[in-house]
Amino acid sequence: MPSAMQELFAAPLVRQLTARILVDGMNDMVLDYAIPDGMAGVERGSRVEVPLRNRTATGTVLAMGGQGDGWSGALRPILRLVNDEPVVSAVLMDLAEWAARYYAVPVEQMIRCIVPEPVRQERHDEKTRKVVVLQNWPDDDQLNKINRRAPRQAAILRLLHASADKREPLTALGGTPALTPCRALEKAGYVRIEEEQVHRDPAGSETFAPSTPLQLNPEQASALNSIREACDKGSSRPILLQGVTGSGKTEVYLQAARHAISQGKGVLILVPEISLTPQTMARFKSRFAEIPGGVAILHSAMSDGERFDEWHSIHRGKARIAIGPRSAVFAPVQNLGLIIVDEEHDASYKQENTPRYHGRDLAVLRARMEGAAIVLGSATPSLESLHNVHQGKYALLRMDKRADGQRLPLTRVLDMRTEAKDKRNLGILSERLRMAIDERLNKGEQTILLLNRRGFARALQCPECGYTAHCEYCALPMTYHATENRLVCHICGYRQVVPPRCPECHTQNIALEGYGTQKVEAVLRRCFPEARLQRVDADVTTRKNALRDILSDFRAHRTDILLGTQMISKGLDFPGVTLVGVLNADLGLNIPDPRAAERTFQLLTQVAGRAGRGDLDGEVIIQTYNPQAAAIQFARRHDTDGFAETELELRQMMNFPPFCHMAVITAKSEQEGIACLAMETLHRHLVAALPPQVQISTPLPAPLAKTYGQFRYQCTLKAPSARMLSDICSREIAALNCGEGVTLSLDIDAYSFM
Ligand code: ADP
Ligand code: ZN
């Protein structure tokens, strides 16, 4: 018998174990491998080495196959188990699978979040790594020469020069491809390449003065008690901690974390990326200073090497507390006993590219899977969480007094309709606010000015009476589409002509709104030529550490006025600020988003919490064309309950979240016709496939009709359950073979409708 035949006949008799493996690499590659006889310990979540074409690759075991899944010889064998214990715990594997199904993404995408890039790139035998150290910084002339001849070498020099200790691991400079230019630089005497021990102690060089726990006030003490109880019982019923700004929530977190640690448990703390300031980090590191390396920080500005170290330190159980933004929900904290989600209402918990998961929601799920207690903290809780409290799913703890005994600032709402006629300030700065800023400058106090700017949707607003065009069916502002010169509702698709006059006051002055920070900056510089003014927006903060430097300048009072977008509203504590001005409270209201009012309310309340944190009383001035808007009036009175009640009623009436789940499907293409056609075809299929409880809008150009050269069309869906949306939509998207040149994306529980 020929040998091939022999093999074929023999094969079914050789029963073997197999495993399905996500092979590390740029693209999702899931392949089956055989587990060789005698290789013990391969489990779901294990990291393994496998042969891939003519090289060796690493991967994560997604699932174990049954016996006899493969032909002997047909499957290549796993070469080696990288770690004895599975690297991804069973709970995190479950979480990944659950999230993959809920958000309708391949499970590989979720695993990639759990095993971050630097950890995936780890090679088992790599106990050292290459670090490039700057030796000589060339003068401008030399640098220009290098730049012309070898721009990559110049770029590497600049990166090294910009880094704090003039050294970076090779991975931070671009990995292996950067080795050649680095070698050239070494030869020329500019840098030195060193081998460094990989498992350094990331906290080794920092020291933090230990801080002692504060004596809690009665509200804090009672909140802490409830959290400790949940921790001890392993109760994962979420606790919503609703505490006004300055009520001392952080102190409660610190003492709750202390309790969990003393019980031998691990703690996970999620914060909005933007509030992951050195200030927050130091507060935690100081409190737990007696456990060296006990607090691990994960954030996006970290180099690969740092992230690698912190991840391993958490995984080994050395770091007992992990702090990070939404992606930290996947941190491999051992024996997790407590999860804290600070500023739980914050929109940054939702990832806005695929996989579009919600960090807070996954935290709630993870707590349940791990039997850990979970606290969601905020001064302005999301309506989702408040709704869960009303339904009895979450417990509510409240702290209504400021811990530092400060009064909440006095808030004035300024009606811009009466100011609009004065053209000198272009309707940007009211006389009242201008005087208030002047007064602060004279007294040497500081001012924060907030420009509420979200997206680029343009609404129609009357500068004389404040009227804005709303959809008759959704009660949401309509968006102006220049191409067809129409107002369109982005939830239901209702269209309307642009009225030539204001329907309320009949002026012909009715106009499209919108201006940016740069224009405001110009106006401010004209009004206050002497003031030290700093603008903060996405343009300014692209440079690494820019935001940190700007904020430390402001803290040290090297700046008088800080002008910025939402970025400056969160978690910042500046004692010298006595005035907060909100330039255009309306802009956030006039966007086609069911959460527009909620976000505006939260923003105004949070930003008001920035004023008067020191010994001086604070003042807040809110400029608006819409002084009667509920979001503005309730924020003025610091009335979170009143706002929630009114807004929830409205949401229920309109069937918006939290009373339903919403999803957005977007088709993108460089050619408008293709994007439109794909969306229309998919829409037709969905209408046929979806059950009648699901509402679907007509396909429309997105409010952001074109981004990065791609035309965008979208559909909005509402359903009683998210599963109904993920299962059917992902099936129909996969079935719609729309070819190259167009991408379709599905956003379950969408937070952005742009
Ligand atoms: P929140 O996070 O709720 O906005 P913080 O935790 O930042 O509030 O606390 C506000 C201020 O009150 C901080 O300066 C903090 O040190 C102080 N503080 C908190 N708890 C107490 C307490 N029990 N006694 C005195 N001061 C406190
Ligand atoms: Zn009008």
Side-chain angles (χ1 to χ4, degrees):
M1 206 171 356
S3 68
M5 286 291 277
Q6 227 163 17
E7 221 176 83
L8 207 64
F9 276 100
L13 302 174
V14 186
R15 305 248 143 173
Q16 65 176 12
L17 288 163
T18 64
R20 179 149 294 184
I21 290 165
L22 168 65
V23 180
D24 298 335
M26 294 305 279
N27 299 310
D28 294 333
M29 215 180 345
V30 179
L31 298 170
D32 287 345
Y33 286 89
I35 302 172
D37 284 347
M39 182 182 284
V42 177
E43 288 176 50
R44 193 166 73 121
S46 293
R47 297 275 298 158
V48 291
E49 261 181 27
V50 292
L52 184 71
R53 285 181 219 105
N54 50 6
R55 64 182 177 95
T56 304
T58 48
T60 310
V61 177
L62 290 181
M64 303 293 286
Q67 283 206 351
D69 276 356
W71 294 81
S72 151
L75 288 184
R76 301 177 75 181
I78 293 173
L79 298 175
R80 217 176 63 85
L81 192 58
V82 176
N83 309 70
D84 295 337
E85 301 275 308
V87 164
V88 185
S89 69
V91 166
L92 285 176
M93 290 299 287
D94 290 345
L95 188 68
E97 275 167 18
W98 188 96
R101 169 126 196 251
Y102 188 91
Y103 295 107
V105 295
V107 71
E108 300 87 84
Q109 283 194 12
M110 299 313 307
I111 301 284
R112 273 172 214 286
C113 302
I114 294 178
V115 189
E117 195 62 34
V119 177
R120 275 204 302 276
Q121 284 172 356
E122 171 187 29
R123 293 238 314 283
H124 64 282
D125 56 354
E126 201 173 36
K127 289 278 184 284
T128 61
R129 63 176 178 182
K130 291 193 166 52
V131 175
V132 184
V133 187
L134 186 66
Q135 293 284 91
N136 279 306
W137 175 240
D139 60 35
D140 287 354
D141 234 30
Q142 282 170 313
L143 190 63
N144 280 337
K145 260 192 216 143
I146 298 173
N147 198 19
R148 266 195 307 270
R149 184 170 42 78
R152 293 199 46 199
Q153 291 183 25
I156 288 169
L157 283 173
R158 277 193 221 102
L159 274 173
L160 289 171
H161 190 63
S163 81
D165 39 7
K166 308 285 179 245
R167 54 191 289 142
E168 284 287 354
L170 187 65
T171 45
L173 300 172
T176 322
L179 194 55
T180 316
C182 285
R183 288 253 157 83
L185 286 169
E186 189 175 36
K187 233 169 143 189
Y190 291 117
V191 306
R192 196 175 62 232
I193 303 174
E194 292 177 350
E195 294 285 327
E196 186 184 72
Q197 210 62 30
V198 169
H199 289 277
R200 300 159 303 151
D201 181 356
S205 56
E206 309 162 77
T207 49
F208 291 91
S211 73
T212 41
L214 297 174
Q215 180 73 41
L216 297 185
N217 64 37
E219 281 187 335
Q220 286 174 312
S222 129
L224 177 64
N225 248 334
S226 306
I227 299 169
R228 282 162 77 152
E229 224 170 79
C231 223
D232 294 346
K233 283 196 305 206
S235 155
S236 49
R237 179 180 181 214
I239 298 170
L240 180 65
L241 177 60
Q242 182 181 344
V244 296
T245 44
S247 58
K249 294 186 286 296
T250 313
E251 186 60 35
V252 174
Y253 301 155
L254 285 164
Q255 299 197 20
R258 165 66 70 199
H259 178 75
I261 297 286
S262 71
Q263 308 284 305
K265 298 196 174 139
V267 181
L268 176 61
I269 298 167
L270 300 185
V271 296
E273 172 93 44
I274 203 88
S275 60
L276 203 54
T277 54
Q279 203 187 358
T280 325
M281 295 192 236
R283 260 175 110 172
F284 278 89
K285 292 229 174 190
S286 298
R287 187 60 61 86
F288 297 94
E290 86 289 355
I291 321 172
V295 180
I297 311 277
L298 300 157
H299 61 83
S300 61
M302 278 164 52
S303 70
D304 277 2
E306 288 170 317
R307 228 170 328 171
F308 178 96
D309 288 350
E310 293 293 64
W311 192 92
H312 277 286
S313 156
I314 298 166
H315 187 246
R316 273 180 292 139
K318 179 159 186 272
R320 306 298 298 126
I321 300 178
I323 307 180
R326 62 170 179 265
S327 58
V329 71
F330 302 113
V333 178
Q334 301 296 307
N335 192 19
L336 186 61
L338 173 66
I339 303 180
I340 291 163
V341 183
D342 189 25
E343 310 283 1
E344 65 88 28
H345 65 277
D346 196 274
S348 76
Y349 284 120
K350 170 79 173 173
Q351 177 146 302
E352 290 298 355
N353 46 42
T354 180
R356 296 182 161 81
Y357 66 88
H358 198 294
R360 176 201 59 213
D361 295 351
L362 288 186
V364 168
L365 185 70
R366 180 170 179 190
R368 195 159 74 216
M369 289 173 164
E370 306 241 16
I374 177 161
V375 179
L376 311 178
S378 175
T380 52
S382 65
L383 292 185
E384 278 77 8
S385 295
L386 286 171
H387 183 58
N388 281 323
V389 168
H390 297 164
Q391 294 207 308
K393 289 184 189 159
Y394 292 7
L396 178 67
L397 301 175
R398 297 188 59 135
M399 302 201 302
D400 295 326
K401 287 196 262 317
R402 281 176 90 151
D404 47 15
Q406 284 283 321
R407 271 169 300 181
L408 284 167
L410 182 68
T411 303
R412 258 182 249 284
V413 174
L414 230 137
D415 189 346
M416 289 299 277
R417 292 172 300 183
T418 54
E419 296 273 341
K421 301 197 178 63
D422 181 357
K423 291 285 179 286
R424 259 180 321 162
N425 295 327
L426 305 155
I428 289 176
L429 203 59
S430 64
E431 189 53 21
R432 179 76 191 73
L433 181 55
R434 197 192 58 72
M435 278 162 51
I437 297 171
D438 228 19
E439 200 182 305
R440 297 317 186 287
L441 289 172
N442 288 336
K443 283 200 282 189
E445 295 170 7
Q446 290 173 292
T447 300
I448 290 179
L449 292 177
L450 180 85
L451 184 71
N452 190 7
R453 201 173 130 77
R454 255 190 69 82
F456 311 90
R458 304 186 74 194
L460 193 74
Q461 185 165 56
C462 174
E464 314 247 328
C465 75
Y467 162 86
T468 29
H470 278 64
C471 172
E472 289 178 32
Y473 303 100
C474 300
L476 288 177
M478 316 247 314
T479 300
Y480 178 69
H481 282 247
T483 43
E484 50 178 320
N485 194 26
R486 287 275 188 289
L487 295 169
V488 182
C489 170
H490 273 271
I491 304 298
C492 73
Y494 175 68
R495 284 178 162 76
Q496 190 190 305
V497 294
V498 181
R501 300 163 168 272
C502 172
E504 296 285 324
C505 74
H506 309 295
T507 176
Q508 293 185 346
N509 235 342
I510 192 155
L512 294 166
E513 57 168 16
Y515 50 81
T517 34
Q518 296 185 12
K519 186 159 166 195
V520 181
E521 184 182 5
V523 169
L524 289 171
R525 290 208 187 275
R526 210 161 57 228
C527 294
F528 311 106
E530 310 281 288
R532 292 166 299 173
L533 172 72
Q534 176 65 54
R535 172 166 62 91
V536 190
D537 57 18
D539 298 339
V540 175
T541 53
T542 43
R543 187 172 58 82
K544 192 183 167 189
N545 293 336
L547 184 61
R548 195 192 64 188
D549 296 347
I550 289 172
L551 295 180
S552 71
D553 275 354
F554 191 59
R555 185 176 309 283
H557 205 150
R558 288 189 285 269
T559 321
D560 302 309
I561 303 175
L562 196 62
L563 162 68
T565 53
Q566 283 81 326
M567 271 183 200
I568 55 174
S569 69
K570 287 168 208 156
L572 307 171
D573 194 350
F574 298 112
V577 173
T578 56
L579 173 66
V580 171
V582 180
L583 296 172
N584 55 345
D586 311 296
L587 208 51
L589 285 175
N590 300 341
I591 57 170
D593 185 326
R595 293 186 186 83
E598 178 182 352
R599 291 231 182 87
T600 303
F601 173 80
Q602 286 161 346
L603 180 67
L604 295 178
T605 309
Q606 295 282 342
V607 80
R610 303 298 123 224
R613 283 213 146 188
D615 303 327
L616 307 161
D617 275 348
E619 182 183 6
V620 178
I621 296 178
I622 298 175
Q623 300 188 152
T624 173
Y625 288 98
N626 232 321
Q628 295 315 319
I632 292 171
Q633 283 303 325
F634 283 114
R636 182 175 71 79
R637 299 196 292 267
H638 309 283
D639 185 359
T640 302
D641 297 338
F643 174 75
E645 194 183 319
T646 310
E647 182 68 11
L648 277 170
E649 226 168 80
L650 196 72
R651 299 266 188 101
Q652 184 158 29
M653 212 159 71
M654 294 294 162
N655 186 30
F656 278 141
F659 299 93
C660 75
H661 290 266
M662 287 183 81
V664 173
I665 300 180
T666 310
K668 282 189 287 193
S669 171
E670 280 177 18
Q671 278 167 302
E672 185 164 16
I674 293 182
C676 177
L677 182 69
M679 199 65 248
E680 279 174 354
T681 316
L682 181 62
H683 178 260
R684 252 198 333 274
H685 294 184
L686 284 172
V687 169
L690 289 165
Q693 310 94 294
V694 179
Q695 292 172 34
I696 178 166
S697 76
T698 50
L700 281 173
L704 283 168
K706 194 178 180 189
T707 56
Y708 304 104
Q710 301 233 304
F711 289 92
R712 306 166 79 242
Y713 274 73
Q714 69 187 30
C715 255
T716 310
L717 299 100
K718 284 196 215 172
S721 97
R723 276 285 159 79
M724 209 179 262
L725 293 172
S726 25
D727 290 354
I728 298 172
C729 294
S730 61
R731 197 185 66 214
E732 292 300 325
I733 288 173
L736 186 78
N737 199 348
C738 50
E740 306 266 305
V742 54
T743 38
L744 287 163
S745 63
L746 170 62
D747 186 0
I748 299 286
D749 289 345
Y751 275 69
S752 168
F753 298 81
M754 307 300 268

